[in-house]
Amino acid sequence: KYNRHGRPDRTTKVRNIPDRVSIHQRPAEADGTRFGDWEMDTIVGKDGKGAIVTLTERSTNMILMERLPEGKHPEPLAKVVIRLLFPYRNTIRSITTDNGSEFCAHRLISKALAPKGTSNPNLVFFADSYSSWQKGAIENANKLIRQYIPKGTDFSTLTDAFIRNVQHKINRRPRKKLNFLSPKSVFFRQIDNFALAIEVGAVKELNNIRKNAVNIWQIRRKTLNLRHEKDEGHSCYIWQRENWPDCRWDSEALLEPMSHLSHLHGLLN
């Protein structure tokens, strides 16, 4: 009657999904508390006709959903997922789903949403068979969606506006998990935090570039024994050498590659 030993840790071997990456290879940090970890699934209509792809961000329970005009065909589904998640691509860390054949084109999703320059990108991880608890967030999200779109609904009668309205209603519903804030408000607060972190990182990088540029400028000025003058209100630096005409540069020219000044180094040696 009871399983005293708990559920066994099965590693599923699936052959209908090329390049499948198991959930057991997913980073340990993707525990549902980190922002940017998603889950993905589909719900189907009456008699298995029509489908809607559903996505949820695990830490905020934010839901994205859209009708699949071509049903559960892998490549069209992948394109819809890419379009839904593309605005948030800089924050996406993983996507967990089941072993449905509709997710065969998962490599397209990873390639489109992974950070630029990533070699052999992979964002999509697959749960074990018959292990719905491994993607519990999307299972709960689908239950909420079914309050508005019950099983047995003919999806051909649903408009895109109705589906968007369902998404908006669920995302505005306060959650105890979020201290009675809505998934939408918490999700976009996290997006703002990511944007701020990226902006701070960019400012730091720019400051480093400026610092390095100042160092280069000081070295070149000292090496070439440049004299600072103002020419028509603009700062310039003049290089003088006996029997040679004066050469002058503005501040920015001194930051050009050293090859631009190579002829002077030859004269100074």
Side-chain angles (χ1 to χ4, degrees):
K1 185 176 180 180
Y2 299 103
N3 186 351
R4 296 183 179 179
H5 304 289
R7 298 184 178 101
D9 186 13
R10 306 185 188 92
T11 300
T12 302
K13 295 182 180 180
V14 178
R15 298 180 181 177
N16 64 327
I17 300 176
D19 300 321
R20 176 186 180 275
V21 181
S22 171
I23 192 173
H24 299 288
Q25 295 176 254
R26 189 180 68 181
E29 295 80 9
D31 58 359
T33 60
R34 180 181 71 171
F35 182 74
D37 294 305
W38 292 75
E39 292 181 7
M40 173 171 62
D41 202 0
T42 56
I43 58 176
V44 296
K46 183 179 181 180
D47 299 327
K49 297 178 181 179
I52 295 173
V53 64
T54 59
L55 295 140
T56 188
E57 199 285 315
R58 297 175 67 196
S59 67
T60 63
N61 295 131
M62 177 76 168
I63 290 175
L64 303 176
M65 55 189 290
E66 187 170 312
R67 183 210 304 273
L68 298 170
E70 299 183 46
K72 296 169 70 173
H73 293 287
E75 289 194 10
L77 181 148
K79 291 178 180 178
V80 170
V81 171
I82 291 168
R83 181 161 47 76
L84 289 174
L85 292 179
F86 196 78
Y88 319 114
R89 62 192 180 281
N90 292 328
T91 69
I92 297 173
R93 293 170 169 174
S94 72
I95 304 172
T96 304
T97 189
D98 59 27
N99 298 291
S101 59
E102 64 267 31
F103 302 118
C104 284
H106 64 95
R107 299 296 297 175
L108 293 177
I109 298 173
S110 293
K111 185 176 180 179
L113 300 178
K116 290 183 178 180
T118 305
S119 59
N120 193 27
N122 181 72
L123 291 175
V124 182
F125 299 88
F126 292 87
D128 294 329
S129 298
Y130 311 108
S131 302
S132 58
W133 67 89
Q134 292 179 342
K135 53 183 187 69
I138 196 64
E139 297 291 338
N140 290 333
N142 288 344
K143 289 179 181 178
L144 295 178
I145 293 169
R146 286 298 190 184
Q147 294 177 3
Y148 301 89
I149 309 175
K151 290 185 177 181
T153 300
D154 183 357
F155 281 10
S156 64
T157 64
L158 304 179
T159 64
D160 292 338
F162 174 81
I163 294 172
R164 284 195 300 270
N165 190 43
V166 170
Q167 173 185 307
H168 293 161
K169 283 184 176 181
I170 295 174
N171 286 334
R172 290 189 177 99
R173 185 184 297 185
R175 307 290 177 88
K176 182 178 180 180
K177 167 186 174 179
L178 304 175
N179 293 323
F180 298 99
L181 297 173
S182 68
K184 180 181 177 181
S185 63
V186 177
F187 177 84
F188 284 106
R189 184 186 301 168
Q190 292 283 12
I191 291 292
D192 290 342
N193 291 341
F194 256 85
L196 179 61
I198 292 172
E199 183 178 349
V200 169
V203 170
K204 287 183 179 179
E205 184 176 355
L206 180 59
N207 287 337
N208 289 334
I209 292 172
R210 288 174 175 169
K211 183 178 180 181
N212 292 334
V214 169
N215 291 338
I216 293 171
W217 174 82
Q218 290 175 343
I219 291 170
R220 291 182 179 178
R221 182 182 177 186
K222 184 180 294 186
T223 302
L224 299 174
N225 193 24
L226 299 176
R227 186 179 79 252
H228 178 258
E229 289 187 2
K230 284 196 173 183
D231 184 9
E232 297 182 356
H234 298 285
S235 292
C236 65
Y237 295 87
I238 301 175
W239 178 77
Q240 288 180 315
R241 189 177 175 91
E242 188 177 353
N243 299 327
W244 286 89
D246 290 356
C247 299
R248 66 178 62 212
W249 298 269
D250 59 20
S251 302
E252 293 182 1
L254 285 176
L255 301 179
E256 294 295 325
M258 286 301 292
S259 60
H260 290 251
L261 304 175
S262 58
H263 65 290
L264 291 180
H265 282 282
L267 293 173
L268 290 172
N269 293 332

